[in-house]
Amino acid sequence: MNNPIKKIMIVGGGSAGWLTAGVIAAEHLVDPDNGLELVLVESPDVPTIGVGEGTWPSMRSTLKKIGVSETEFFRECDASFKQGSKFVDWLKPAGGAYYHPFSLPDGGNDFNLAEQWLAHRDQVNFSDAVCPIRFISDRNLAPKLITSPEYGGASNYGYHLDAGKFSNFLKKHCTEKLGVTYIQDHVIKINSAENGDIASISTKMNGDLVADLFIDCTGFASLLLGEHYQIPLNEERRVLFNDSALAVQIPYGETESPIQSCTVSTAQDCGWIWDIGLPTRRGIGHVFSSAHTSDEQVLKNLQDYLEPAIGKAAAEKIMPRKLTFNPGYRKVLWHKNCVGVGIAAGFIEPLEATALVLIELSAQMIAEQLPATRAVMDTVAKRFNQQFFDHWQRIIEFLKLHYVLSERRDTDYWRDHLADSTQPDGLRELLDLWRYHVPWKHDIRGDEMFPWASYQYVLYGMGFDTQISSVAKRAAAANSEKAGELFNANMKKTQSFINNLPTNRALLNKVREFGFQKI
């Protein structure tokens, strides 16, 4: 029990495996002779899921930390910029759009600008009052200039990327630059130690591979946590109904077609459609609840969505890939000497693109709190489980928020989302609070994945009505001059961005030719 943790084995590749390998290797000296040995074992026959194409801005810090060049990342991963999400028809059918930007309102940590905005809600929508995102998105603008340093920008941003290319890019970086040992082989058996730990994994060509800590990145198969340890899912289908998706990739009509600045999520009668723009193609998929509709109806919805871009004949010939999943997360995420990361730990619908950021956070906590010995691993595991159970619940509540605010009543799917039995108690409590109190930083804990601004953007983008007290109105009035300055500053910044920022397509063309400044 007091033996040091000297060898970590990641089972499974893809974004989960290689991101985890990179983060741990960057945090610790990987040296099999004198320090930590890090091995990744990947089956040659398991394809990448390939639809996790949206990241949060946190990915910039992660890539920078593991020593990746942002220029090379863009060139090798068919990547583009993501500055937030655009939600179309979520409030009601043909109900317009609102934005959830990555950028916080300027000055929002000093003043609750949403409280100040309430008096002007009939003249300007909330995100326009505090953020340039709509004007950036409408013009397909980039968040920076070619003269900007790597990972720096005028506007906050994450990425859209090709998941398969991203995994291969990380694999090359981890093995060539960070000392990660790569074994391509089939795992045929998991072998237990006397204390119930995993002692080794048996492989087809390399025999038994021993390690002190095993990280399960085997996706939906969950070979270690799910299959070996039989740890079941906390199923969340009662709250989030979606369990399937039809996904397709389409080319642009022209090579210089505009590239979107946001992920576009368009509500449908029994789900929603994602639309992600990469430099060479668009990734589009329809997420849906199999209990509320049929594959045939979803295919028709997807074809109707694609028809304006590729024409009726081409839309009718698409052959989308179907994905099915059981929405939820493992009842235990770190069990004995095995921890699950990525889909092996859990999966829910990709609204708000939480899959990759959960991988980042998991890898970061494992790296930063890596147990020195097996004796302290159970304590670290307990802390890890508590932290990520909380993350999962907050994500589920935040995603459900999008549905319960909708005025759509056109199908059972949308009506069922409004039933009390499908809503988490924590979310109902917050909504009761926010009917009379504008959410702000004191309502959201510091370790929350979604900041206070995210709740404001979704609540007021969806037309939520907050009736603040007369006392709060007087307090807001006292800060009205400062708030006015911040609103005016946002308008000036918006105009500056419109005048000076290049389009995504123009900047990405320059990145391929010149690259960003090194830092």
Side-chain angles (χ1 to χ4, degrees), residues 371-393:
T373 67
R374 178 62 183 87
V376 299
M377 187 180 292
D378 291 340
T379 299
V380 175
K382 180 180 178 181
R383 292 163 58 87
F384 184 94
N385 286 326
Q386 290 172 339
Q387 180 75 48
F388 282 89
F389 289 159
D390 194 58
H391 281 329
W392 277 106
Q393 281 304 310

Side-chain angles (χ1 to χ4, degrees), residues 24 45 90 106 240 316 371:
I24 295 175
D45 296 336
W90 277 76
D106 287 342
L240 296 173
E316 290 178 345

